[in-house]
């Protein structure tokens, strides 16, 4: 039978072949809703603009895990639990101290997160409450891993975590060795809120797929970190900053408009633009754009901000493509002194709340995720002994 005939048969049997699963609805969820035409994002009932204006990251974690906002005592309790879980076991810290200093921070985060599976919080006989406790522990521990690796790779001692303060505050403190100011904490907290959850993106799908085999939450989060790392997904924020810094290296010849036109001419992607779901401005990018402008005026990085705006205008004029969450988050992190290769780790430190919320949702109503693939190879070939091939 010819290869073409085989494909025809298989296509009839599986008519839904869809490269990239575009538009396929694989789950129902109460965690978030995205309206790609309107540019609207909702986390468990609350518009992202409302959350950006009013919430803290800890409140968003509670919201995603429980589908409702906490009252005051529930919020305080969660904050205390997140603080109590701010400890990374010695063997994991030893790995962080001894691994290759040149390693990619996302690879180190993935490995260290995977190692945490060997040291979970005390288990009960209720699997769902074990998963909830593990979700809290992971959310508390991932920022510590990121800060500790950055210190270790720079030959600095690891700063012990604080027994007070928000996730954002403690992360910046452990990263820099000094307590952050109110504004830096607020910027970091808002970034954590904006990145927490986003429907069935590639990393969340990965986490749910791993959950669906009844595997453990650490495997799911390690897998999700691996998926987020790629430049078509969360890795784009580092790529955006590298793009801007490469432009800066050109000195007086730097021309962001021509740079964008040249890349488009060569059919190359401009990092931080485009989205599978949004056909308009990503609502998270509004907040990040505003922050990027305000911070660049304070820190003197106005040129980077001006270039970002020129690239944005050129992309809109030439391709009618808008920026996504990764475009302005790059200059926001840069303005508060964070190294570009840590940006995707910060995305992970936030998205762990959404990943674990989806894990809990999947575990509560599970069915194995197992799609099909259209086979395009030959069938029933004759075996030829190795010395006759
Ligand atoms: C995130 O899904 C999520 O929710 C993800 C995320 C989250 O919160 O989890 O929002 C976070 O991952 C944001 C995306 C970060 N990635 C980038 O910024 C990388 C650059 N962007 C792309 O490569 C692209 O836009 C994707 C990967 C984001 C989306 O890819 P799709 O949906 O498969 O779209 P496509 O690549 O098929 O592009 C469609 C068209 C093409 O043109 P034509 O061939 O139809 O003429 O749009 C063009 C593309 O060439 N295009 C771009 C472009 N993005 C799309 N052209 C230039 N630069 C770009 N960035």
């Amino acid at each position: 039978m010819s290869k073409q005939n085989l494909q025809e048969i298989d296509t009839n049997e599986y008519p839904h072949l869809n490269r990239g699963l575009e538009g396929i609805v694989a789950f129902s969820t109460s965690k978030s809703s995205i309206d790609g035409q309107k540019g609207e994002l909702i986390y468990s009932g609350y518009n992202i603009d409302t959350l950006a204006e009013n919430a803290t990251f800890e409140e968003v974690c509670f919201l995603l895990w429980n589908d409702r906002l906490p009252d005051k005592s529930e919020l305080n309790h969660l904050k205390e639990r997140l603080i109590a879980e701010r400890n990374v076991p010695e063997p994991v810290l030893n790995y962080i101290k001894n691994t290759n200093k040149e390693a990619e921070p996302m690879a180190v985060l993935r490995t260290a997160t995977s190692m945490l599976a060997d040291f979970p919080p005390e288990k009960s006989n209720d699997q769902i409450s074990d998963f909830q406790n593990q979700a809290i522990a992971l959310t508390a521990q991932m920022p510590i891993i990121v800060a500790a690796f950055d210190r270790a790779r720079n030959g600095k001692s690891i700063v012990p975590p604080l027994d007070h303060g928000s996730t954002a505050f403690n992360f910046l403190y452990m990263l820099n060795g000094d307590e952050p100011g109110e504004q830096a904490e607020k910027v970091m907290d808002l970034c954590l809120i904006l990145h927490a959850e986003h429907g069935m993106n590639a990393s969340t799908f990965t986490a749910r797929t791993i959950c669906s085999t009844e595997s453990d939450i650490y495997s799911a989060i390690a897998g999700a970190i691996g998926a987020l790392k790629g430049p078509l997904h969360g890795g784009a924020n580092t790529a955006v900053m590298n793009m801007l810094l490469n432009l800066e290296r050109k000195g007086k010849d730097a021309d962001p408009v021509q740079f964008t036109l040249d890349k488009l001419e060569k059919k190359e992607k401009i990092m931080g633009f485009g989205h599978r779901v949004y056909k308009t401005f990503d609502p998270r990018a509004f907040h990040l754009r505003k922050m990027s402008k305000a911070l660049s005026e304070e820190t003197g990085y106005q040129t980077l901000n001006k270039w970002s705006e020129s690239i944005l205008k050129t992309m809109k004029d030439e391709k009618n493509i808008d920026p996504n969450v990764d475009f302005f988050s790059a200059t926001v992190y840069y303005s508060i002194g964070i190294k570009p290769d840590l940006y995707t780790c910060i995305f992970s430190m936030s998205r762990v709340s959404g990943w674990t919320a989806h894990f809990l949702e999947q575990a509560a109503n599970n069915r194995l995720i197992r799609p099909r693939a259209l086979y395009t190879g030959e069938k029933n070939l004759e075996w030829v002994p190795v010395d006759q091939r």
Side-chain angles (χ1 to χ4, degrees):
M1 196 178 283
S2 77
K3 208 166 156 180
Q4 196 184 350
N5 284 342
L6 275 170
Q7 282 184 12
E8 278 162 16
I9 290 165
D10 280 351
T11 311
N12 288 336
E13 198 180 342
Y14 309 114
H16 304 298
L17 176 69
N18 179 323
R19 282 187 74 237
L21 300 182
E22 180 160 4
I24 299 290
V25 176
F27 308 97
S28 61
T29 182
S30 56
K31 303 305 158 195
S32 62
S33 153
I34 304 167
D35 185 325
Q37 301 299 328
K38 281 204 273 183
E40 179 187 78
L41 170 60
I42 286 168
Y43 292 175
S44 299
Y46 293 87
N47 191 291
I48 193 66
D49 300 334
T50 307
L51 295 170
E53 215 166 291
N54 299 289
T56 60
F57 176 60
E58 288 75 11
E59 273 172 303
V60 167
C61 289
F62 190 101
L63 173 67
L64 292 172
W65 291 332
N66 299 283
D67 291 327
R68 65 176 177 84
L69 287 174
D71 65 22
K72 207 169 182 172
S73 85
E74 288 169 327
L75 181 59
N76 285 339
H77 182 61
L78 177 60
K79 286 181 184 169
E80 280 163 18
R81 293 203 53 204
L82 284 165
I83 289 171
E85 292 295 346
R86 272 181 199 162
N87 55 69
V88 168
E90 207 53 41
V92 184
L93 285 177
N94 285 338
Y95 156 68
I96 290 169
K97 285 181 206 158
N98 294 316
T99 193
N100 184 353
K101 308 251 172 299
E102 303 298 320
E104 290 179 78
M106 277 294 277
V108 174
L109 177 62
R110 187 195 57 223
T111 304
T113 300
S114 183
M115 288 177 78
L116 292 175
D118 301 355
F119 311 93
E122 202 179 321
K123 291 210 173 138
S124 65
N125 41 26
D126 172 25
Q127 197 189 38
I128 292 291
S129 68
D130 288 346
F131 287 153
Q132 286 165 344
N133 293 337
Q134 291 161 2
I136 292 173
L138 277 160
T139 306
Q141 290 166 315
M142 280 172 52
I144 296 176
I145 293 170
V146 178
F149 177 61
D150 191 56
R151 304 274 310 174
R153 70 175 172 169
N154 287 299
K156 295 181 183 162
S157 60
I158 293 174
V159 176
L162 293 167
D163 62 2
H164 61 273
S166 66
T167 303
F169 188 91
N170 182 60
F171 171 65
L172 291 173
Y173 167 74
M174 288 189 66
L175 192 66
N176 301 319
D178 321 302
E179 296 201 350
E182 207 180 310
Q183 193 202 21
E185 181 190 8
K186 221 168 160 211
V187 166
M188 181 52 59
D189 196 58
L190 186 47
C191 288
L192 295 178
I193 292 170
L194 294 173
H195 288 81
E197 163 58 14
H198 211 241
M200 209 35 56
N201 58 83
S203 54
T204 302
F205 184 75
T206 304
R208 284 191 83 131
T209 302
I210 294 173
C211 177
S212 85
T213 69
E214 298 188 358
S215 182
D216 65 291
I217 201 165
Y218 293 94
S219 299
I221 303 310
I225 294 170
L228 188 75
K229 179 174 177 286
L232 293 189
H233 193 7
N237 52 14
T238 295
V240 168
M241 201 63 236
N242 289 337
M243 173 176 86
L244 292 170
L245 293 174
N246 281 337
L247 205 52
E248 192 174 48
R249 278 183 211 109
K250 294 182 191 247
K252 61 179 176 30
D253 293 331
D255 180 346
V257 175
Q258 197 52 50
F259 166 83
T260 310
L261 294 173
D262 289 348
K263 276 188 98 70
L264 292 179
E265 173 76 26
K266 286 187 260 167
K267 303 252 172 275
E268 288 174 11
K269 296 274 161 64
I270 303 290
M271 290 294 141
F273 283 86
H275 200 275
R276 179 61 69 79
V277 184
Y278 291 121
K279 299 303 161 215
T280 183
F281 220 93
D282 180 330
R284 302 166 296 179
F286 272 116
H287 294 276
L288 292 158
R289 184 189 197 182
K290 210 163 84 186
M291 265 197 277
S292 171
K293 183 169 186 312
L295 285 166
S296 72
E297 278 159 12
E298 274 174 43
T299 52
Y301 292 128
Q302 284 111 321
T303 308
L304 293 176
N305 188 257
K306 211 175 76 199
W307 290 347
S308 301
E309 291 292 339
S310 303
I311 294 171
L312 183 149
K313 184 169 183 316
T314 312
M315 285 298 280
K316 191 73 191 165
D317 293 347
E318 294 294 317
K319 298 277 287 183
N320 196 23
I321 295 181
D322 291 295
N324 57 51
V325 70
D326 290 318
F327 190 60
F328 284 107
S329 63
T331 37
V332 167
Y333 296 138
Y334 194 73
S335 297
I336 59 168
I338 297 176
K339 295 176 199 85
D341 65 355
L342 296 182
Y343 298 174
T344 319
C345 293
I346 297 173
F347 194 154
S348 311
M349 282 158 39
S350 159
R351 185 58 60 84
V352 66
S353 58
W355 290 331
T356 49
H358 278 273
F359 186 98
L360 288 161
E361 191 175 51
Q362 182 70 29
N365 184 18
N366 187 41
R367 185 155 193 244
L368 178 73
I369 296 167
R370 204 301 184 192
R372 298 289 305 256
L374 176 68
Y375 175 66
T376 57
E378 305 286 348
K379 277 187 176 174
N380 300 324
L381 294 176
E382 268 182 42
W383 180 255
V384 181
V386 68
D387 53 358
Q388 293 168 34
R389 281 176 225 159

